[in-house]
Amino acid sequence: GARRHALVKVAAYQAPLLPAGSTTRALRLIRRQIDHCETAGVEMLCCPEGVLGGLADYATDPASFALDAERQLREVLEPLTSDRVTTIVGFTEVDRRGRLYNAAVVWHKGSVAGLYRKLHPAINKSVYEPGCDTPVFTVGGLTFGIVICRDSVFAEPASRMAAQGAAVLFVPTNNGMPVEKGGRELVGEARNVDIDRATENGTSVVRADVAGRQGELVSFGSSGIVDGAGTILASSRPLEADLLVAEVAVAPRRMILGNH
């Protein structure tokens, strides 16, 4: 007979677009979502790209909120610790040589269970260095991948992760852009990308964006959850903070071996 699909409850937090450097406020808001998720039985919560402090490309002093993954991350993320909810948090990482990466951390029961660095930082130029790895992570019974924002536009990172057994792709996103660039149409574009990645790989896609207006920047908010068949399970309200929750089916997948 057919093998049963396990169901995993996941969430995407559409955070408000905050002023640059608002790390403490962001942590407080995320903690509130974690409390909701604990009550709702959510196992994995995805937060936006650069949710801690904002994106370095739009900040005057990104070094002021960049974090050293080895030395600072645990202390900063301590307030987000939960026995039941694992949280993916976007931040600006600084390495020992002072290089900046657009990164996302997997925060699991008070420790760093994984780190992903964005492969394609920006269309023209960015203060971020590009990452080079496409790792997958396993927490509980769930194997998943992370593709940050623009990385999701490319088919290859997602397909590499799916080939390594990822059943869900989490997409921390930050569409906070100057008004002339950041239009409502980005929401539809992002959703189409999510459906493409989901149907190509049979993986659920969970995207968490920021929303609102802040100074010169605007984001309508493209957060959404799409299942492996490309069905939209949840999508966010425009221009406001939101928390999306859905159950996604996780097929018991055999590891696909071979050359990647």
Side-chain angles (χ1 to χ4, degrees):
R3 289 187 294 172
R4 282 185 60 242
H5 282 49
L7 289 175
V8 176
K9 214 176 244 196
V10 296
Y13 175 36
Q14 180 155 290
L17 181 54
L18 299 173
S22 308
T23 302
T24 313
R25 191 168 155 210
L27 287 165
R28 220 173 31 239
L29 290 168
I30 295 167
R31 180 68 237 185
R32 211 172 293 160
Q33 312 313 311
I34 292 170
D35 294 342
H36 275 298
C37 288
E38 286 180 344
T39 311
V42 169
E43 290 178 44
M44 295 287 311
L45 167 64
C46 185
C47 298
E49 171 188 23
V51 69
L52 298 185
L55 291 184
D57 288 321
Y58 295 120
T60 41
D61 181 20
S64 66
F65 57 81
L67 299 170
D68 180 313
E70 287 169 35
R71 289 181 285 193
Q72 296 173 294
L73 210 45
R74 281 191 63 164
E75 196 180 333
V76 171
L77 296 178
E78 188 53 46
L80 306 184
T81 300
S82 165
D83 282 343
R84 285 174 283 173
V85 182
T86 299
T87 308
I88 295 167
V89 184
F91 73 105
T92 294
E93 181 195 357
V94 60
D95 73 4
R96 298 275 164 108
R97 290 167 52 187
R99 294 174 300 189
L100 299 179
Y101 293 92
N102 185 330
V105 58
V106 181
W107 185 244
H108 175 65
K109 294 186 177 177
S111 65
V112 173
L115 190 72
Y116 174 81
R117 290 170 168 176
K118 190 176 186 179
L119 306 172
H120 302 279
I123 294 169
N124 302 317
K125 66 181 189 357
S126 173
V127 302
Y128 290 116
E129 298 281 330
C132 53
D133 297 324
T134 51
V136 297
F137 312 99
T138 301
V139 166
L142 179 66
T143 300
F144 59 94
I146 298 171
V147 279
I148 296 179
C149 203
R150 190 162 171 264
D151 290 352
S152 66
V153 174
F154 302 89
E156 197 195 18
S159 68
R160 272 201 221 154
M161 291 171 190
Q164 295 174 74
V168 180
L169 295 170
F170 291 96
V171 190
T173 299
N174 192 321
N175 280 330
M177 295 192 194
V179 175
E180 64 278 5
K181 283 201 223 163
R184 192 181 285 274
E185 69 282 353
L186 288 176
V187 176
E189 287 169 22
R191 195 69 67 249
N192 290 338
V193 164
D194 294 345
I195 292 167
D196 286 348
R197 295 300 85 85
T199 51
E200 285 161 7
N201 301 298
T203 54
S204 301
V205 177
V206 179
R207 183 182 293 266
D209 197 358
V210 294
R213 301 175 195 275
Q214 184 60 54
E216 304 293 295
L217 305 179
V218 64
S219 176
F220 281 84
S222 65
S223 307
I225 302 174
V226 174
D227 73 11
T231 308
I232 299 169
L233 302 179
S235 54
S236 57
R237 297 175 298 212
L239 289 169
E240 48 184 301
D242 212 347
L243 181 69
L244 307 179
V245 176
E247 277 189 325
V248 294
V250 180
R253 300 174 65 133
R254 298 224 321 277
M255 281 291 289
I256 300 160
L257 301 171
N259 301 318
H260 306 310

